[in-house]
């Protein structure tokens, strides 16, 4: 009985830090997320592709392939603010698609993150969101950045009236 249980534990992830079925399931899930994220990246900005890093020392990690630079491999740590936003958006959409394959994304709400982007990155991010909207996804942006308000056609503005009160 003990040997049978040891075998099961070993198969289900009990052998080593990243071994067994647990690691297999996590790797499979990440591959699915990256596949869906790449679909969105292709729609938003075909320059980039995400792929798994095949490294036993760093399992469940991925890198960016810059297709405009001859498929140059880039670490996610080397991305600019706008590029990070793009990859994060694609991963969020990929995760959503993976977890709900029979449900369409109809609305997407983004809260901030824009304030730290340089003007070029901000323009790229807004252009990507415009592309999503063209595809039928309703985009809601929560922001205080003026450059965003100028590019959004319909908006709700919350104006402070002081003492904890505001007006829509």
């Amino acid at each position: 009985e003990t040997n049978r249980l040891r075998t099961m534990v070993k198969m289900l992830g009990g052998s080593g830090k990243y071994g067994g079925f647990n690691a297999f399931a996590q790797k499979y899930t990440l591959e699915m997320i990256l596949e869906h994220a790449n679909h969105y990246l292709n729609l938003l900005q075909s320059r980039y592709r995400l792929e798994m890093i095949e490294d036993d020392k760093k399992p469940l990690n991925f890198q960016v392939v810059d297709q405009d630079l001859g498929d140059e491999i880039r670490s996610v740590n080397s991305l600019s603010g706008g590029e990070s936003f793009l990859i994060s958006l694609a991963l969020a959409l990929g995760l959503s698609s993976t977890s709900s394959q029979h449900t369409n994304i109809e609305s997407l709400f983004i809260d901030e993150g824009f304030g730290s982007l340089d003007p070029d990155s901000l323009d790229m991010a807004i252009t990507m969101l415009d592309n999503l909207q063209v595809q039928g996804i309703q985009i809601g942006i929560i922001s205080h950045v003026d450059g965003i308000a100028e590019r959004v056609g319909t908006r709700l503005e919350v104006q402070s009236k002081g003492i904890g009160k505001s007006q829509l």
Side-chain angles (χ1 to χ4, degrees):
E1 184 69 18
T2 302
N3 285 337
R4 204 170 83 218
L5 288 174
R6 281 187 185 135
T7 301
M8 285 177 54
V9 166
K10 185 177 181 180
M11 289 174 62
L12 295 175
S15 64
K17 189 173 181 181
Y18 302 107
F21 181 76
N22 188 31
F24 169 79
Q26 289 176 339
K27 181 180 178 185
Y28 177 76
T29 302
L30 182 56
E31 286 172 347
M32 285 179 44
I33 292 169
L34 293 179
E35 182 179 328
H36 288 285
N38 281 328
H39 167 75
Y40 286 105
L41 274 174
N42 192 43
L43 294 174
L44 300 171
Q45 176 71 270
S46 61
R47 175 178 179 172
Y48 304 105
R49 184 178 75 246
L50 304 176
E51 64 181 29
M52 292 280 295
I53 296 175
E54 298 296 332
D55 184 353
D56 291 337
K57 295 177 184 174
K58 290 185 175 185
L60 305 176
N61 211 342
F62 63 92
Q63 59 197 8
V64 178
V65 179
D66 192 330
Q67 298 174 124
D68 281 2
L69 296 177
D71 288 348
E72 179 180 320
I73 304 294
R74 295 178 56 191
S75 164
V76 294
N77 298 327
S78 72
L79 300 175
S80 70
E83 291 169 327
S84 294
F85 180 86
L86 170 67
I87 299 301
S88 297
L89 177 60
L91 285 168
L93 292 167
L95 178 61
S96 177
S97 295
T98 300
S99 63
S100 60
Q101 291 186 11
H102 301 292
T103 304
N104 291 331
I105 300 171
E106 295 176 0
S107 300
L108 178 65
F109 290 88
I110 300 173
D111 184 11
E112 266 319 318
F114 296 104
S116 62
L117 297 179
D118 61 81
D120 290 338
S121 298
L122 179 62
D123 184 58
M124 182 172 73
I126 296 299
T127 299
M128 290 182 313
L129 295 175
D130 286 343
N131 290 341
L132 281 174
Q133 190 170 15
V134 167
Q135 297 170 40
I137 297 174
Q138 183 177 353
I139 306 292
I141 302 172
I142 302 165
S143 181
H144 67 276
V145 177
D146 291 333
I148 292 175
E150 295 167 2
R151 298 229 359 224
V152 175
T154 304
R155 61 183 181 260
L156 297 173
E157 292 184 22
V158 179
Q159 298 172 339
S160 175
K161 295 295 180 187
I163 314 171
K165 294 185 179 183
S166 59
Q167 176 180 329
L168 203 68

